[in-house]
Amino acid sequence: MGATNGHIETFVELIRRASTELPADVVEALEEGRQVEESGKLASIALDTILNNVEMARDDSAPICQDTGTPVVWIHHPVGVSTRELKKEFEAAVREATARKYLRPNAVNTLTGGNTGDGAGRGIPFVHFEEWDEPRLEVKMILKGGGSENVGTQYKLPDSRLGAGRDLEGVRRAVLDAVVEAQGKGCAPGILGICVGGDRVSAFEESKRQILRPLKDTNPISELAELEKRLLDEGNQLGVGPMGFGGKTTLLGVKIGVLDRLPACYFVTVTYMCWASRKAGVSIDEGGEVTWLS
């Protein structure tokens, strides 16, 4: 696999799946939330509407949300594969997916305010490459909506306002503050991808990577596994609820990663993903055979 061999159509299908088919674990979490909300209340009505929307989008192969988001992509590739060509192919796939209406033309020139018209632009899609020893490509993607991106945030500890020191208790205080500050504006119930440590750039990338994790997996670092569970429980006790209407379902999941840091820095970085946690993955072997990843 020394050069790419025409992956555009596979990438288009990857985008279609992410845009129109909500992952089964997210649907299950939404259904579990619906079961705990009181019938007839705004929270339960909101979740009913969300679940109906999910079903319609899947049946019609239509975008789950009108904000189809920024494609954020991680590509693992064998030695010798041209990352430049892979990036060109993915950009072409974004343009084709936009033409087929799996994506909305979302890319806007920041200086002029003009829309590029084809869904791609400077930094869109945002593609990360990592070389590995496997003889295959693995591509994983999230579609990151702008509303939820607006309520993502980054804290530097210590934070005297929160009484948050440079420890996991400080991390807990910062994350719960982020949920309170969002107040449903990121289209709750949400999923939090968190990075503890790193620098301002690497931390945001790692926090987004956490969104790829299955909702019911267990963090291999025991203290982070415990903190994820506690934050999910406490976040759902805040009363924000679906779309900020109040209720018991504010968060669907909390996933925490950790990076090493400089002595002077201790960042807590929170990526907020809305209930439309759109993600998909694909593996492409040496012969071009495609395996879709859950």
Side-chain angles (χ1 to χ4, degrees):
M1 194 182 286
T4 61
N5 55 358
H7 301 113
I8 294 175
E9 197 59 39
T10 300
F11 293 163
V12 170
E13 175 62 11
L14 178 75
I15 294 167
R16 186 199 69 79
R17 288 172 179 245
S19 181
T20 67
E21 301 176 7
L22 201 62
D25 62 337
V26 181
V27 175
E28 182 181 354
L30 287 167
E31 290 172 341
E32 289 173 353
R34 175 61 185 86
Q35 291 171 10
V36 302
E37 299 294 352
E38 187 177 346
S39 181
K41 296 292 186 180
L42 285 175
S44 67
I45 293 170
L47 287 172
D48 281 339
T49 302
I50 287 169
L51 287 164
N52 184 53
N53 178 74
V54 169
E55 183 177 359
M56 290 174 60
R58 183 182 62 248
D59 291 347
D60 296 340
S61 203
I64 293 168
C65 178
Q66 72 272 18
D67 178 1
T68 52
T70 299
V72 184
V73 190
W74 291 267
I75 299 180
H76 284 83
H77 61 88
V79 176
V81 166
S82 170
T83 57
R84 179 179 60 182
E85 291 302 315
L86 279 174
K87 186 175 182 182
K88 285 181 181 178
E89 288 194 333
F90 208 95
E91 289 171 346
V94 166
R95 295 185 179 96
E96 180 60 27
T98 304
R100 298 185 195 180
K101 297 183 171 32
Y102 303 142
L103 297 177
R104 190 177 72 174
N106 269 339
V108 174
N109 184 304
T110 302
L111 299 181
T112 69
N115 196 299
T116 67
D118 61 10
R122 295 183 181 91
I124 302 175
F126 191 23
V127 185
H128 307 263
F129 293 102
E130 297 181 22
E131 185 177 283
W132 65 354
D133 294 328
E134 298 286 336
R136 60 186 176 88
L137 287 176
E138 183 179 274
V139 185
K140 293 187 176 181
M141 179 188 68
I142 63 173
L143 294 175
K144 188 65 179 67
S148 62
E149 190 74 349
N150 281 335
V151 295
T153 190
Q154 190 172 69
Y155 297 82
K156 58 183 182 67
L157 302 186
D159 186 318
S160 59
R161 178 180 68 88
L162 301 176
R166 291 183 161 193
D167 52 26
L168 292 185
E169 172 59 21
V171 172
R172 170 183 163 274
R173 290 171 181 247
V175 172
L176 290 176
D177 183 70
V179 178
V180 170
E181 289 297 309
Q183 283 297 313
K185 292 192 290 292
C187 292
I191 298 167
L192 304 184
I194 299 161
C195 177
V196 181
D199 67 12
R200 289 196 181 273
V201 175
S202 64
F204 267 116
E205 192 274 329
E206 177 61 25
S207 70
K208 283 184 168 63
R209 190 193 297 262
Q210 292 297 309
I211 300 297
L212 293 172
R213 289 172 50 194
L215 287 182
K216 292 190 175 180
D217 73 354
T218 299
N219 198 309
I221 302 174
S222 60
E223 57 263 50
L224 295 184
E226 181 180 345
L227 183 57
E228 288 176 352
K229 183 178 184 303
R230 182 176 180 184
L231 283 168
L232 179 60
D233 291 342
E234 293 181 340
N236 283 328
Q237 293 171 28
L238 293 174
V240 175
M243 308 304 284
F245 289 141
K248 302 176 182 178
T249 315
T250 299
L251 298 176
L252 301 177
V254 178
K255 302 299 174 184
I256 305 174
V258 62
L259 295 176
D260 290 341
R261 60 183 178 84
L262 293 176
C265 302
Y266 195 119
F267 294 115
V268 179
T269 305
V270 181
T271 284
Y272 189 107
M273 178 62 98
C274 62
W275 63 262
S277 183
R278 295 158 291 179
K279 56 188 176 181
V282 65
S283 174
I284 308 172
D285 71 14
E286 293 176 285
E289 184 174 346
V290 168
T291 301
W292 297 103
L293 307 175
S294 58

